Amino acid sequence: MRKVIRGKATEFRYERGVQPAPKLGEWVEVLTEILEKEAKLPRRQRRSAVRLFEELRGRGYDGPSLACWIPRQRAPVRESVAE
């Protein structure tokens, strides 16, 4: 078994180009718009991921937490606003 695992013939490769977010799908535009508006504000005035999650819940979002998605989206938005 060890020979098979360590051998080159059974090399493990996993490639996924885009992380799917099926429940977040229709809300991506809303969140991106909010993040673009808030990117212009000072850091202390921006809402946390928890506050954004609560706002979306109030609008009807029933998916999981946004704690992993928001930080990945904030960086590109900040860069585009800075330019």
Side-chain angles (χ1 to χ4, degrees):
M1 185 72 173
R2 191 176 305 171
K3 289 180 183 178
V4 173
I5 292 172
R6 293 183 180 168
K8 298 288 183 190
T10 59
E11 185 177 333
F12 176 75
R13 267 188 256 157
Y14 177 74
E15 297 175 17
R16 176 169 60 184
V18 176
Q19 173 71 27
K23 289 215 172 198
L24 190 60
E26 62 191 54
W27 297 97
V28 170
E29 292 177 18
V30 173
L31 277 171
T32 305
E33 184 180 316
I34 291 170
L35 290 175
E36 286 174 353
K37 288 178 185 175
E38 290 192 357
K40 299 171 188 171
L41 297 173
R43 186 177 182 130
R44 302 282 250 157
Q45 293 180 3
R46 293 183 211 149
R47 286 178 280 185
S48 66
V50 174
R51 297 288 179 232
L52 289 171
F53 178 67
E54 288 173 357
E55 180 179 334
L56 285 186
R57 284 282 173 156
R59 293 185 182 190
Y61 175 70
D62 64 344
S65 171
L66 306 170
C68 294
W69 188 84
I70 297 245
R72 287 183 281 162
Q73 300 305 315
R74 276 196 171 139
V77 169
R78 266 188 301 222
E79 291 171 3
S80 67
V81 170
E83 294 174 354

